[in-house]
Amino acid sequence: MGRLQKILIPSLGLVLAFWFYSARDTFKPEMLRGKRVIVTGASSGIGEQMAYHLARMEAHLLLTARTEAKLQKVVERCLELGAASARYISGSMDSPSLPQQLLREAENTWGGLDMLILNHIGQSSFTYFSGDVEHVRKLMETNFVSYVALATAALPMLKESEGSIVVVSSIAGRIAGPFTAPYSATKFALEGFFSSLRQELIIDKVNVSITLCILGYINTESAVRAVSHVIPDTPAPKEECALEIIRAGALRHRQLHYPARAVGTMLLIHSIAPELFESIVRGSYRLENVRRT
Ligand SMILES: NC(=O)C1=CN([C@@H]2O[C@H](COP(=O)(O)OP(=O)(O)OC[C@H]3O[C@@H](n4cnc5c(N)ncnc54)[C@H](OP(=O)(O)O)[C@@H]3O)[C@@H](O)[C@H]2O)C=CC1
Ligand SMILES: CC(C)CCC[C@@H](C)[C@H]1CC[C@H]2[C@@H]3C(=O)C=C4C[C@@H](O)CC[C@]4(C)[C@H]3CC[C@]12C
C-alpha cells in the first residue's frame, strides 16, 4: 500500500494531468460552429483566408475593410462555403466612428459576440524612415488605436459570452529590423496594451481570452509586393497561417508563433545574441534594392 501511494497515485495524477492538458489543446472545427465572429482587414490576405475558414466552420461572420467591392465578393464566397451568415461594413479604421458602428451592428443582428479578430493594417512601405511624422501618427491610429477602440467596444459582449480577442501582430512587433520603423512601432504598442489588459481581466476574473499572434513572412500579395525584391526568403502560406490563427484563438492560447520554427528560432537567437542576430538580418537583405522614397 505504501509503495502504491508513493508511486502509483502520483503517476496516475501525471497521466490525468497530461490527458487534461492535451484534450484542452485539441482543436475541432465544430468549436466555431454558430459562433459570432468579427474579422477586420477581411477583404484580402490573411483576413480574407480567415473568413473562408470560418465560413467552412459554419460561423456567423461580420467582415470589415475599406473596399466595398472586395468585401462583397468575400461575403458571397463565404456564403457558398457554408457560413451560418455573412455580412460586411466597409470603412476606414482611421475613422474613430467605425469601431462603435461595427459593434452596434453585431449587437443589433446577433445580440452578442464570441470572437473579435483584429487583423487590418494601413499601408506602409518597406523603406528607410523618411521623416514623415504625420504617417506615423496615422499608422498608429489605424494599426493600434483602432484595435484598442474595437476591443473596448466589444468587451461588454465578450464578457457576456466569455469570448476571445485575437490580435494579429508580427515578429516585427517583437524584434525591430530595418525599413519598418513606423509599422514596428504600431505592433510593439499592441503587445504592450493587450498584455497589460490580459492581466487586468485575470485580476477581475473576467473570462475573455487574448491571443497575440506573432507572424513571420507570409505570402500575401501586399507583403510579397512590398519586400520580395529585398528579402530572398520563401514566405509561409497565408491559408495555413489563417487556420493557425483561428485555432489559437479558439483554444484560448496566449500566443501563436507562425511559422512556429522560424519565429521561435529568431526569438531565441535574438534573446541570446541581439547584435549578432540583427547583423545577420541586415546581411541577408538585398540592400541595393531598397527603394528610397
Ligand atoms: N503578410 C505578412 O508577411 C505579415 C503580416 N502580418 C500581419 O498580418 C495581418 C494581415 O496582413 P496581410 O494579410 O499581409 O495584409 P493585407 O495587406 O493583405 O490586408 C490588409 C487588410 O487591411 C485592410 N485595410 C487596409 N487599410 C485599412 C484601413 N485604413 N482601414 C481598415 N482596413 C484597412 C485591407 O483592405 P482595404 O484595402 O480594402 O481596406 C485588407 O483587407 C496584419 O496585421 C499584418 O501586420 C504580420 C507579419 C507578416
Ligand atoms: C525579426 C525580423 C527583423 C526578422 C526579419 C523577418 C522579416 C523578413 C519579416 C517579418 C515580418 C515581416 C513584415 C510584416 O510583419 C508586415 C509587413 C506589412 C506588409 O504590408 C508589408 C510587408 C511587411 C513589412 C513584412 C515584411 C517582412 C517581415 C519584415
Side-chain angles (χ1 to χ4, degrees), residues 52-72:
Y52 298 152
H53 284 301
L54 288 161
R56 287 185 203 99
M57 294 168 194
E58 300 173 30
H60 291 279
L61 294 173
L62 176 55
L63 310 179
T64 185
R66 290 168 308 173
T67 321
E68 185 163 9
K70 286 196 204 166
L71 285 171
Q72 254 166 7

Side-chain angles (χ1 to χ4, degrees), residues 14 30 42 56 150 183 251 255:
L14 274 177
E30 302 88 79
R56 287 185 203 99
L150 284 157
Y183 170 80
L251 293 174
Q255 220 172 85

Side-chain angles (χ1 to χ4, degrees), residues 51-53 55-58 74-83:
Y52 298 152
H53 284 301
R56 287 185 203 99
M57 294 168 194
E58 300 173 30
V74 177
V75 159
E76 258 173 49
R77 179 100 186 96
C78 286
L79 291 170
E80 285 164 15
L81 289 171

Side-chain angles (χ1 to χ4, degrees), residues 93-96 120 136-147 186:
M93 284 296 174
D94 48 31
S95 134
H120 64 277
V136 178
R137 209 187 305 278
K138 194 167 169 215
L139 205 63
M140 269 293 179
E141 194 68 45
T142 309
N143 292 9
F144 171 64
V145 180
S146 72
Y147 279 44
T186 66

Side-chain angles (χ1 to χ4, degrees), residues 105-183:
E105 176 77 8
E107 178 140 49
N108 293 341
T109 54
W110 298 329
L113 178 71
D114 299 294
M115 189 180 272
L116 174 67
I117 305 184
L118 301 171
N119 165 77
H120 64 277
I121 44 166
Q123 161 74 32
S124 60
S125 16
F126 189 71
T127 186
Y128 293 90
F129 177 54
S130 66
D132 185 351
V133 179
E134 210 31 60
H135 166 68
V136 178
R137 209 187 305 278
K138 194 167 169 215
L139 205 63
M140 269 293 179
E141 194 68 45
T142 309
N143 292 9
F144 171 64
V145 180
S146 72
Y147 279 44
V148 173
L150 284 157
T152 305
L155 256 180
M157 284 193 279
L158 291 174
K159 282 182 185 170
E160 181 87 22
S161 63
E162 306 204 320
S164 308
I165 300 174
V166 176
V167 178
V168 180
S169 187
S170 165
I171 181 104
R174 269 287 170 78
I175 305 170
F179 314 127
T180 54
Y183 170 80

Side-chain angles (χ1 to χ4, degrees), residues 2 33 58 61 67 73 103 132 156 196-197 207 253 257 264 270:
R33 184 176 297 148
E58 300 173 30
L61 294 173
T67 321
K73 285 193 183 144
L103 274 300
D132 185 351
S196 177
L197 180 66
N207 193 13
H253 286 173
H257 290 168
H270 180 263

